[in-house]
Amino acid sequence: MKYVVFVKQVPDTTLIAVDENGNLIRAGVPSILDPYSEHALETAVSLKKEGDLIVAVTMGPDQAQSALRRCLEIGADEAYLLSDRAFAGADVHATARTLSAFVEKFAADASLIMFGKQAADGDTAQVPAEVAEMLGREQFCYCVSVNAEDDHFVTVQDYGDERRTCRAPMGSVVSVSEGDINRRLPSIARFIEASEAEIKRLDRIALGLGNFSVGMNGSRTKIVKSVNVRSERLGKITDGSDPVKAAAYLKELI
């Protein structure tokens, strides 16, 4: 089996800022491996048997290599960084196009293509479905369980008000919403191996993509305005023994 896991490095959500185009400013902001991406990778590791291969892939600047090394620590066997200045500012469509190109050129034989259900910075949850559409693959979202059978996978999807068990054919796209909180932590030996492992880098030329099909040029979403909103509690206290006065006080606040 060959498991391709697309992951994302995301900024610390408490320190997010945006530029004049509405894009996240990542430079100088502490970043982590997206938690849902980690769930997807954990699921791949749980499925892995002797002879299987787990490939971790991310799109981003050079600093995204730290997320890939974290993937190698957890259990990935290979890591690819899709990095090109032309990729900057990509919306979900341009991102999905870039990731789909990777699958078509370097992982067409993938047994399962895996994502976290969404990313902590954008929360769109659209990329897995768009990749599945572009590749013409079956897609299974919100998966809380994935198990391998001889020639297919069995997934359990949680939609909140119902759960659905499905037979997923080989080559399907799966987005994972839960991971094992009791999983084993990476060993020191694994940490050292990951710090020295090769991370293969691919640009748009290697992926066979034109300059106007990626990044901001290839994006179909135009951000009109983006602002940071922070709610603050007033913490006001009043005497509520008189219902009429209390109601009037609340009305003034509204």
Side-chain angles (χ1 to χ4, degrees):
M1 297 278 192
K2 182 175 182 179
Y3 301 99
V4 175
V5 185
F6 285 107
V7 303
K8 188 176 184 181
Q9 186 183 58
V10 295
D12 185 329
T13 54
T14 63
L15 300 173
I16 287 180
V18 295
D19 62 18
E20 64 276 8
N21 296 315
N23 297 316
L24 295 178
I25 299 175
R26 299 178 184 276
V29 178
S31 298
I32 60 171
L33 176 62
D34 179 69
Y36 288 114
S37 294
E38 194 160 331
H39 291 340
L41 187 60
E42 290 169 6
T43 301
V45 172
S46 71
L47 293 170
K48 184 180 179 181
K49 297 180 180 178
E50 186 176 355
D52 291 347
L53 182 70
I54 298 176
V55 180
V57 187
T58 194
M59 185 179 85
D62 286 341
Q63 71 182 55
Q65 291 185 65
S66 62
L68 290 174
R69 296 206 182 277
R70 173 63 177 163
C71 292
L72 291 167
E73 290 175 27
I74 295 172
D77 301 296
E78 296 181 1
Y80 285 84
L81 174 64
L82 312 183
S83 188
D84 194 306
R85 292 181 65 86
F87 294 161
D91 69 353
V92 292
H93 176 78
T95 298
R97 183 175 177 81
T98 303
L99 303 186
S100 298
F102 173 84
V103 174
E104 291 172 336
K105 294 204 69 174
F106 296 93
D109 59 340
S111 305
L112 202 63
I113 301 167
M114 309 179 73
F115 291 83
K117 75 166 184 176
Q118 63 196 61
D121 55 355
D123 285 334
T124 66
Q126 295 178 23
V127 172
E130 291 205 29
V131 168
E133 175 65 21
M134 291 178 182
L135 294 174
R137 308 284 184 101
E138 296 288 337
Q139 196 259 345
F140 300 86
C141 56
Y142 307 114
C143 292
V144 295
S145 173
V146 182
N147 292 294
E149 301 292 341
D150 291 337
D151 61 349
H152 66 279
F153 296 89
V154 176
T155 67
V156 177
Q157 298 170 274
D158 189 345
Y159 288 94
D161 58 346
E162 67 176 11
R163 285 197 171 197
R164 184 171 68 174
T165 301
C166 300
R167 177 189 175 105
M170 290 286 178
S172 294
V173 177
V174 170
S175 53
V176 180
S177 58
E178 289 186 9
D180 183 4
I181 61 174
N182 296 315
R183 66 177 176 80
R184 291 184 305 168
L185 295 175
S187 66
I188 295 298
R190 188 79 192 182
F191 174 83
I192 295 173
E193 290 176 8
S195 66
E196 299 174 347
E198 176 189 11
I199 293 179
K200 301 172 185 177
R201 181 174 178 143
L202 301 172
D203 59 13
R204 69 172 182 83
I205 302 300
L207 296 174
L209 293 170
N211 190 49
F212 290 95
S213 64
V214 298
M216 292 189 69
N217 291 331
S219 297
R220 298 183 178 182
T221 303
K222 302 303 178 185
I223 299 174
V224 177
K225 185 179 181 181
S226 181
V227 297
N228 289 325
V229 178
R230 298 190 182 279
S231 59
E232 295 183 4
R233 296 185 178 184
L234 298 178
K236 292 186 177 181
I237 300 174
T238 187
D239 181 5
S241 58
D242 185 333
V244 176
K245 291 183 178 179
Y249 175 77
L250 292 174
K251 184 177 179 180
E252 289 179 4
L253 291 179
I254 296 173

